[in-house]
Amino acid sequence: TEQLQCAYVELASAVLPGEVGPAAAFVSHAWLYEFAQLVSALEAAKLPPETRFWVDICVVNQHVNATRGFEWWSTTFRGAIKRIGLTLLVLAPWRAPVPLRRAWCIWEIFCTVDTKTELRVLLPQSERAAFVEALEDNFEAAVEVVSTVDVTKAEAHSAEDLANIFDAVTRAGGAHILNVAAAGGLREAFALAGKQVLEERRAAGDEALGLAGQLAVMLWQQGKYDEARPMFEHVLAEYERTLGAKDEDTLAAMGDLAAVLHRQGDVAAA
């Protein structure tokens, strides 16, 4: 591509024209990731196999666009995010996501939020497994990651880029908006990871009641009562069957279910 001064996608369109077309998802990721991590995270999205992704290493002409000013990134690039309509943010490691420390990833999140584009956060398979282990063993530590998101700590190789990005963010309402969006995306990603692993374990014959209970608590705290309720009901039924009605775990599950029912306004059932 350097010799031709073009992007990889331009070469691909000439050789495999049927495989190139309008993107249905914009992929935001850190260049520090191994390519296998990126692929693993995209697989977690479970999008239709014909989905085309906008991935910078393939689409952006590094030989030309890299020399353009910030105005290009704040207009043409921002417009492309809006037209695509879905941003997939790949985060790893889950305890300290690299993209939340990289200014250009912050810019991509900002463009997504500012254009009211859907933001979906994805974890690679290895990170999903590590997160679920933490969810089972130390629930508070897993939740704390979300509460400590602070995009103002992001860095960039270029001080000018960093200043331009945070100036744009400030003019649009400040870093708080991005912190809220990033934290919300993390919560969604963590819930998705937990549900995926729970499905896998149940398919293998393991009820994984501890994981199910913790995941239900997480959904409850996110206000997703309709999702949390059947999980709590299932956990309670299994504990009553295997441990008895007076066991400590059974009573705790009963209390959690009652709290969700109360939140839903189902006072009689609670």
Side-chain angles (χ1 to χ4, degrees):
T1 60
E2 183 178 6
Q3 183 178 0
L4 297 175
Q5 292 289 288
C6 69
Y8 177 80
V9 71
E10 294 175 296
L11 290 179
S13 63
V15 179
L16 300 169
E19 299 299 320
V20 177
F26 171 82
V27 180
S28 178
H29 67 105
W31 282 24
L32 294 176
Y33 294 155
E34 294 182 359
F35 191 70
Q37 282 184 303
L38 175 60
V39 173
S40 174
L42 294 181
E43 288 175 340
K46 296 186 177 180
L47 295 173
E50 66 273 13
T51 300
R52 292 189 174 97
F53 300 95
W54 195 105
V55 183
D56 53 4
I57 55 177
C58 298
V59 178
V60 175
N61 186 336
Q62 300 295 330
H63 314 292
V64 176
N65 291 349
T67 64
R68 294 182 178 179
F70 188 73
E71 181 64 23
W72 185 90
W73 294 100
S74 61
T75 55
T76 305
F77 179 78
R78 183 177 177 278
I81 293 270
K82 183 176 182 178
R83 285 193 301 274
I84 292 172
L86 172 62
T87 295
L88 302 177
L89 176 61
V90 179
L91 290 189
W94 75 268
R95 288 183 181 275
V98 173
L100 299 184
R101 303 197 306 270
R102 304 304 304 163
W104 279 108
C105 290
I106 296 301
W107 175 249
E108 292 165 357
I109 298 173
F110 168 73
C111 289
T112 299
V113 174
D114 195 46
T115 58
K116 296 180 173 57
T117 299
E118 180 184 354
L119 175 66
R120 195 180 306 174
V121 179
L122 304 173
L123 301 177
Q125 176 62 42
S126 59
E127 293 301 319
R128 293 199 296 274
F131 165 71
V132 169
E133 181 179 351
L135 184 61
E136 291 181 298
D137 297 339
N138 191 347
F139 179 77
E140 293 303 323
V143 174
E144 184 181 359
V145 171
V146 177
S147 64
T148 56
V149 172
D150 185 0
V151 299
T152 61
K153 297 179 180 179
E155 302 173 345
H157 293 300
S158 167
E160 182 180 359
D161 286 346
L162 188 63
N164 282 329
I165 288 171
F166 280 110
D167 178 62
V169 169
T170 299
R171 285 187 280 107
H176 175 69
I177 294 176
L178 281 188
N179 284 337
V180 170
L186 275 173
R187 291 189 186 96
E188 294 291 339
F190 290 171
L192 175 63
K195 286 187 283 189
Q196 287 176 333
V197 173
L198 182 60
E199 290 174 3
E200 293 168 1
R201 291 192 181 178
R202 285 181 172 173
D206 178 8
E207 285 295 331
L209 296 178
L211 172 59
Q214 295 287 50
L215 182 56
V217 171
M218 174 170 283
L219 293 170
W220 168 29
Q221 292 180 343
Q222 293 177 15
K224 297 181 178 179
Y225 307 126
D226 290 342
E227 292 185 54
R229 178 173 177 170
M231 283 193 177
F232 278 133
E233 290 174 336
H234 178 76
V235 170
L236 176 58
E238 286 299 309
Y239 278 152
E240 287 179 331
R241 183 180 65 83
T242 58
L243 302 177
K246 296 183 179 181
D247 184 83
E248 182 178 315
D249 288 335
T250 303
L251 296 175
M254 188 179 298
D256 289 336
L257 176 57
V260 170
L261 292 171
H262 186 268
R263 287 283 188 175
Q264 289 184 311
D266 193 349
V267 179

